[in-house]
Amino acid sequence: LVSTAMALRRSSSFTRYALSLQYRGTDFLGFASQGPRGEDCVTPDGSDLRGIRSVEGRVLEALTDLTGESNHENFQVSSRTDRGVHAWRNTAHVDVRPRKWEALGSKATHDSWDPLVLQRALNYHLATQCRPLYEGEIVAPDQLRRRREGPIGAAGESDRVEAAPSWILSRQRAACESDLRILSAALAPPLAPNEYYDGQTIWEDEPAFIDWNARFTASGRTYVYRILDLSGGEKDCGTPFERDRAWIVRTKRGLDVAGMNEAAGHLVGLHNFSSFRGKHCKRPLPVTRLSRVEVILTPYGAASYLGVPGMDIRSEKANMVTVIVKGESFLYRQVRNIVGCLIRVGKGNMKPGNVKDILEARDRALAPDMAPAHGLYLADVEHGDFMF
């Protein structure tokens, strides 16, 4: 049994594709689209967000440029990341009609998109989204694809807008060209078992099989948090390169990685993570299972960053500390809250056993502040045996 909605989409010649994405989250508002009044505009409260977009907003724009507004739907990501969080590999799905689709009964005029062509075409449109920007000119609104909200100028001048400052244009150009890429595209499996089907229900709302869905078929997610630990005389090594890609901390003797791993061991397994749950978490239950929480130390310097052996004479006391957290699903901001706790252990402000006490207390107020967003990476999302 399958749902009526699924059958209708197929009768309209939609094909579901699985996508994997990679992005540098620094200049994004996060993954989720904020709508026309929440990104790439001057908001009603006066916030200037021109040139600042969401990942989802840009992907949807690329899909519309490529296929047309009515020829794609149901774009959904497996993991929505916060503002400033990066993704080495996130996954999503989208339904797309064939190229130059026209309704002719139940048939389409052209074949479905080849996945490789779809990937390359989307990357082309992602890379050219900054073309409508004009620097140092006054341009009419209908010449700009970028949205603006609120008052634009004095009376009688609302039909013309002033171009954004050059630094905003330069920032968006850089983001358009390199900060977001589609890594792969593949035909999604047609069906996935419905975990809520009891073998007897025949109603449409609980069919035996559902459309393959990037979010609900994710069998494992791996997050990595990078901490640049500067100790001894090295107080600035790597900061120009890591300032928005790692949490930079300065310690006298270096982080206690052994103590951090001891504390991390208390978090592995099935637990109530209320103490590490973000304020606006919408999950009904705070119980999740973590299969791996591990802290790894790697010397940081020219040899590791540039790949040049024998050049670490002046940076032997800089280390990259990486926190790896793996599980099937996560609470809102769970990983950043865990890292905020572990680093207190690493600095000697808490004992490893205190982490167990905080976990068992189930009280967010007892846990330390969460780690900043820019050190966090969604490293991988797994979908069982389906590889793409």
Side-chain angles (χ1 to χ4, degrees):
L1 296 174
V2 297
S3 70
T4 301
M6 180 167 54
L8 288 173
R9 283 199 297 274
R10 290 176 180 168
S11 68
S12 299
S13 297
F14 281 101
T15 300
R16 179 155 292 187
Y17 293 87
L19 307 175
S20 65
L21 310 87
Q22 186 174 83
Y23 48 89
R24 181 173 176 266
T26 303
D27 293 323
F28 286 105
L29 290 170
F31 189 92
S33 173
Q34 304 300 309
R37 293 179 179 269
E39 60 180 88
D40 196 20
C41 65
V42 178
T43 63
D45 66 1
S47 299
D48 191 347
L49 298 178
R50 289 177 295 178
I52 306 178
R53 302 287 304 275
S54 67
V55 176
E56 183 178 20
R58 285 192 54 198
V59 174
L60 290 176
E61 182 180 319
L63 282 164
T64 298
D65 291 343
L66 177 62
T67 70
E69 189 171 1
S70 62
N71 292 327
H72 68 86
E73 62 181 28
N74 297 319
F75 178 76
Q76 188 172 9
V77 70
S78 64
S79 305
R80 290 191 297 178
T81 51
D82 283 345
R83 183 172 186 171
V85 176
H86 318 288
W88 186 261
R89 184 177 181 272
N90 203 345
T91 59
H93 73 257
V94 64
D95 297 333
V96 184
R97 276 179 170 147
R99 303 176 70 175
K100 300 181 181 179
W101 182 88
E102 294 179 6
L104 294 174
S106 60
K107 298 181 179 180
T109 58
H110 288 73
D111 292 334
S112 298
W113 286 89
D114 176 80
L116 182 58
V117 173
L118 180 64
Q119 175 207 353
R120 291 176 174 175
L122 286 175
N123 280 332
Y124 169 80
H125 285 285
L126 287 171
T128 57
Q129 284 173 349
C130 54
R131 283 186 176 180
L133 300 177
Y134 299 87
E135 183 171 344
E137 300 180 10
I138 302 296
V139 295
D142 58 2
Q143 293 178 319
L144 288 175
R145 292 165 57 190
R146 303 172 62 241
R147 297 181 291 274
R148 295 170 175 83
E149 297 293 330
I152 296 174
E157 298 179 356
S158 60
D159 59 337
R160 302 180 70 80
V161 296
E162 185 175 352
S166 59
W167 70 269
I168 292 180
L169 300 178
S170 298
R171 183 176 181 179
Q172 183 171 9
R173 287 195 186 100
C176 286
E177 294 170 359
S178 60
D179 278 7
L180 170 61
R181 282 292 182 270
I182 308 298
L183 295 180
S184 66
L187 291 172
L191 298 173
N194 182 0
E195 61 179 300
Y196 298 107
Y197 181 64
D198 60 10
Q200 298 178 350
T201 306
I202 61 173
W203 301 107
E204 177 186 322
D205 59 347
E206 290 296 350
F209 295 93
I210 58 174
D211 276 343
W212 185 90
N213 183 295
R215 178 183 176 188
F216 297 116
T217 64
S219 57
R221 295 172 172 88
T222 301
Y223 284 90
V224 170
Y225 197 99
R226 301 174 73 242
I227 304 167
L228 181 57
D229 179 17
L230 302 178
S231 60
E234 288 299 331
K235 297 299 184 183
D236 297 296
C237 174
T239 55
F241 312 108
E242 303 289 355
R243 62 179 179 80
D244 58 0
R245 301 192 304 122
W247 186 8
I248 299 175
V249 300
R250 293 170 172 85
T251 60
K252 292 183 178 180
R253 293 179 294 275
L255 293 173
D256 177 9
V257 173
M260 294 172 72
N261 271 312
E262 182 181 346
H266 297 301
L267 304 175
V268 176
L270 183 67
H271 300 289
N272 183 318
F273 281 95
S274 293
S275 295
F276 301 93
R277 186 183 194 182
K279 181 178 179 180
H280 300 292
C281 183
K282 297 180 180 179
R283 283 187 55 160
L285 296 175
V287 178
T288 60
R289 183 188 299 275
L290 300 183
S291 58
R292 181 185 182 188
V293 184
E294 184 179 3
V295 185
I296 298 174
L297 182 146
T298 305
Y300 182 89
S304 58
Y305 190 86
L306 301 178
V308 181
M311 292 185 62
D312 285 346
I313 298 175
R314 302 190 182 189
S315 57
E316 67 275 4
K317 293 185 179 180
N319 293 300
M320 183 63 69
V321 176
T322 304
V323 182
I324 304 170
V325 185
K326 182 175 182 179
E328 182 177 336
S329 61
F330 290 85
L331 304 175
Y332 181 53
R333 294 182 171 173
Q334 181 180 355
V335 177
R336 289 170 62 189
N337 286 326
I338 287 174
V339 173
C341 199
L342 293 180
I343 204 163
R344 291 287 298 275
V345 175
K347 289 181 175 181
N349 302 127
M350 288 173 44
K351 296 180 179 180
N354 294 146
V355 174
K356 181 180 180 181
D357 297 335
I358 292 173
L359 175 68
E360 294 176 348
R362 302 180 182 181
D363 185 353
R364 177 70 190 110
L366 298 179
D369 294 338
M370 70 177 177
H374 60 266
L376 182 61
Y377 293 71
L378 174 59
D380 192 23
V381 181
E382 302 170 35
H383 294 271
D385 296 331
F386 180 46
M387 308 290 290
F388 63 97

Short mmCIF file of all heavy atoms in Angstrom, two decimals, residues 3 128 132 136 195 219 300 324 329:
data_model
loop_
_atom_site.label_atom_id
_atom_site.label_comp_id
_atom_site.label_asym_id
_atom_site.label_seq_id
_atom_site.Cartn_x
_atom_site.Cartn_y
_atom_site.Cartn_z
N SER A 3 0.66 5.81 -0.49
CA SER A 3 -0.26 6.91 -0.28
C SER A 3 -0.77 7.46 -1.59
O SER A 3 -0.13 7.36 -2.64
CB SER A 3 0.42 8.02 0.51
OG SER A 3 1.41 8.64 -0.27
N THR A 128 26.35 31.17 -10.54
CA THR A 128 26.04 32.40 -11.30
C THR A 128 24.92 33.20 -10.66
O THR A 128 24.40 34.13 -11.29
CB THR A 128 25.65 32.04 -12.74
OG1 THR A 128 24.52 31.13 -12.73
CG2 THR A 128 26.81 31.38 -13.47
N PRO A 132 23.21 39.21 -11.30
CA PRO A 132 22.35 40.40 -11.37
C PRO A 132 22.82 41.57 -10.51
O PRO A 132 22.17 42.61 -10.49
CB PRO A 132 20.99 39.89 -10.88
CG PRO A 132 21.04 38.42 -11.04
CD PRO A 132 22.46 38.07 -10.77
N GLY A 136 27.99 50.10 -7.69
CA GLY A 136 28.14 51.53 -7.91
C GLY A 136 27.13 52.11 -8.86
O GLY A 136 27.38 53.17 -9.43
N GLU A 195 8.12 2.68 9.14
CA GLU A 195 8.40 2.09 10.44
C GLU A 195 7.17 2.09 11.35
O GLU A 195 7.14 1.38 12.35
CB GLU A 195 9.54 2.84 11.14
CG GLU A 195 9.27 4.29 11.41
CD GLU A 195 10.42 4.97 12.12
OE1 GLU A 195 10.76 4.53 13.23
OE2 GLU A 195 10.99 5.93 11.55
N SER A 219 20.15 6.89 8.57
CA SER A 219 20.44 5.87 9.58
C SER A 219 21.60 6.26 10.49
O SER A 219 21.84 5.59 11.50
CB SER A 219 20.77 4.54 8.88
OG SER A 219 21.85 4.69 7.98
N TYR A 300 49.24 20.74 15.30
CA TYR A 300 48.82 21.69 14.26
C TYR A 300 49.99 22.60 13.90
O TYR A 300 50.66 23.15 14.76
CB TYR A 300 47.67 22.56 14.77
CG TYR A 300 47.14 23.53 13.76
CD1 TYR A 300 46.12 23.18 12.89
CD2 TYR A 300 47.65 24.83 13.68
CE1 TYR A 300 45.61 24.08 11.96
CE2 TYR A 300 47.16 25.74 12.76
CZ TYR A 300 46.14 25.36 11.90
OH TYR A 300 45.64 26.26 10.97
N ILE A 324 34.37 14.13 17.90
CA ILE A 324 33.54 13.38 16.95
C ILE A 324 32.33 12.83 17.69
O ILE A 324 32.48 12.14 18.70
CB ILE A 324 34.35 12.23 16.31
CG1 ILE A 324 35.61 12.77 15.64
CG2 ILE A 324 33.49 11.47 15.29
CD1 ILE A 324 36.57 11.69 15.19
N SER A 329 20.09 10.28 15.36
CA SER A 329 19.42 11.58 15.34
C SER A 329 19.88 12.39 16.54
O SER A 329 20.44 11.84 17.50
CB SER A 329 17.89 11.40 15.37
OG SER A 329 17.49 10.73 16.55
#
